Structure formats: structure tokens, C-alpha cells
Amino acid sequence: MGFSVPPPPKVDRFLTDGESITVGQDTVKVVHTPGHSPGSISLAGNGYVLTGDDLSSGHPPGGSGARL
């Protein structure tokens, strides 16, 4: 394709619902938000929420078309 993609970083631990983690200078709370896939999370900070959920015509492995 004309470019290479580096391998993903190694997972060194899993995040749990309610856990607080530091990202840069911010502390965010891990919120379990299953929907399109069972392991989805959101990160809630002071005045913002980072989500990974999106609307699409399909669903990832482990997800459910009924949940879309």
C-alpha cells in the first residue's frame, strides 16, 4: 500500500471501572460503557468525556447488531 504500520503497543495492564488514572497533567475516571462492544470505556475528566464509541454500519467482534 505504500506505507507500513508499526505494531500496536504491548498491553501492560487492563483498566477497571471507577479507576482513576493520570494522563499528562489530568486525572480521568474510567467509566465502563459497553455498547457496540462489551469492553468499551469512556474517560471522564474535569468538564469533558473521551469516548471511543461510534456509529457504523457494522459491529466489531464481540459486539451485537441488536445494540446498534
Side-chain angles (χ1 to χ4, degrees):
M1 296 185 136
F3 63 91
S4 62
V5 177
K10 181 181 176 186
V11 175
D12 56 0
R13 69 183 190 90
F14 291 95
L15 303 175
T16 59
D17 185 48
E19 175 181 2
S20 292
I21 61 172
T22 300
V23 180
Q25 295 180 343
D26 290 338
T27 298
V28 295
K29 182 179 177 182
V30 177
V31 181
H32 184 223
T33 51
H36 297 157
S37 60
S40 292
I41 63 166
S42 295
L43 301 173
N46 187 17
Y48 63 91
V49 177
L50 303 173
T51 68
D53 215 357
D54 69 291
L55 299 176
S56 62
S57 61
H59 57 274
S64 167
R67 292 182 180 160
L68 290 177

